[in-house]
Amino acid sequence: MAVPLSWADGDEAPSPPQNSPRTAQARRPPVVLPHAIESAIWRGDALGTPVTSTVGTGFERLDAELPGSGWPCQSLTEVLQVQPSVLEWRLLAPAMRTLVALGRQIVLIGPPKAPHLPGLHHLGLDERHLVWIAADKPVERLWATEQLIKANAAGMLVSWLPQARQEQIRRLQVCAQGCDGPVILCRPAAAEHEASAAPLRLQARFGIDWELRIHLLKRKGPPHEGELMLPSVPGGLEAILTPRLRHPSCLIAARQSREVFHAVGSPSSRQPAGRPAAAH
């Protein structure tokens, strides 16, 4: 049985020899890195600098929270939402407009609903620059996504892959490193708790005042706290909404306050306690 050692009263622990490795390490001066190397080191408490280019999202608040200030190219981005094919158009349309203006193609793979041409016009998108691939089966969507990523023929590729597995997403991330445009995967909100090789993941949902509420689940940088409120009135309603209808939350709050007031009763209509009502 090992017996712990202790020093007797009055004795001091022997100091390490002068030529011991610990003494030599303590005497060694701190290493000073060259400025080029020091500036290239990424620290986890700051947003990372992407090694590839980015495409601006069109939302200043969102750009300020993303490495490189936009949707990353040569990389995967996951957009998670409760109901597919509802808000991804409003989230991605500003970046799509930028790419379409440069003559690039937007490729859509397996959207749950057919693209609505009048709605695309309201978003400022020309359907002649959109390529829609109708793939119903999960294996068809996955195959088409991988082949188009490898072909590097799209300014932005948006694919709906609700049933993709972790190893499949990892394979797409490897392929996306050779794609010059952003690759967006639309997946269900339940995938939040699944591991993913996508460097950027965000949860998106609607707000009551026509805004998008964005929470960054994963990014190269510190954890994101809270939600980003991005103003996003649908294009078809921008010109007809009155100032009151632009803030439905105020109307709902006013209605709830009136309902509570009527339920409790007006103070002026109450009779004082102990005094009978006047006879007519």
Side-chain angles (χ1 to χ4, degrees), residues 137-277:
K137 298 181 180 180
V139 64
E140 295 176 346
R141 290 195 295 265
L142 185 64
W143 182 86
T145 301
E146 180 175 346
Q147 298 306 313
L148 284 168
I149 290 177
K150 292 179 178 179
N152 191 21
M156 174 183 286
L157 190 148
V158 185
S159 179
W160 283 259
L161 297 175
Q163 301 174 345
R165 300 192 302 270
Q166 299 178 17
E167 62 273 15
Q168 295 170 340
I169 294 178
R170 187 181 304 110
R171 179 181 177 88
L172 293 179
Q173 168 60 19
V174 174
C175 297
Q177 296 176 7
C179 184
D180 294 333
V183 178
I184 312 296
L185 303 184
C186 299
R187 305 192 63 212
E192 173 186 357
H193 306 289
E194 301 176 3
S196 174
L200 177 61
R201 307 182 77 200
L202 56 90
Q203 186 83 257
R205 62 190 184 95
F206 280 122
I208 195 171
D209 288 331
W210 308 103
E211 79 273 15
L212 301 178
R213 303 169 70 97
I214 305 298
H215 175 59
L216 299 178
L217 300 172
K218 180 183 178 182
R219 62 177 175 176
K220 187 178 181 182
H224 178 246
E225 303 293 341
E227 289 183 319
L228 298 174
M229 305 295 183
L230 309 180
S232 177
V233 178
L237 300 178
E238 181 71 31
I240 63 176
L241 283 180
T242 63
R244 293 184 62 193
L245 293 179
R246 288 180 178 271
H247 301 281
S249 61
C250 298
L251 299 177
I252 294 175
R255 180 178 179 180
Q256 290 177 346
S257 63
R258 288 196 300 268
E259 291 177 352
V260 172
F261 179 80
H262 290 308
V264 175
S266 174
S268 59
S269 63
R270 298 177 183 174
Q271 296 296 332
R275 180 178 300 177

Side-chain angles (χ1 to χ4, degrees), residues 23-119:
T23 304
Q25 184 178 5
R27 293 179 177 178
R28 186 180 305 168
V31 178
V32 180
L33 298 176
H35 177 71
I37 299 179
E38 178 73 21
S39 59
I41 295 177
W42 171 65
R43 294 170 173 81
D45 60 348
L47 289 179
T49 302
V51 296
T52 61
S53 60
T54 59
V55 177
T57 65
F59 300 97
E60 295 183 1
R61 297 178 185 176
L62 182 57
D63 285 343
E65 298 292 339
L66 296 180
S69 302
W71 302 121
C73 301
Q74 300 180 4
S75 181
L76 291 185
T77 297
E78 285 190 13
V79 177
L80 310 183
Q81 55 180 326
V82 176
Q83 184 178 357
S85 192
V86 175
L87 60 76
E88 56 263 58
W89 288 103
R90 286 163 58 182
L91 178 62
L92 302 175
M96 290 181 177
R97 284 196 297 267
T98 301
L99 294 171
V100 167
L102 297 175
R104 305 295 300 274
Q105 299 290 330
I106 308 299
V107 179
L108 314 172
I109 301 177
K113 299 179 181 179
H116 186 243
L117 293 183

Side-chain angles (χ1 to χ4, degrees), residues 1-6:
M1 182 177 64
V3 179
L5 300 178
S6 60

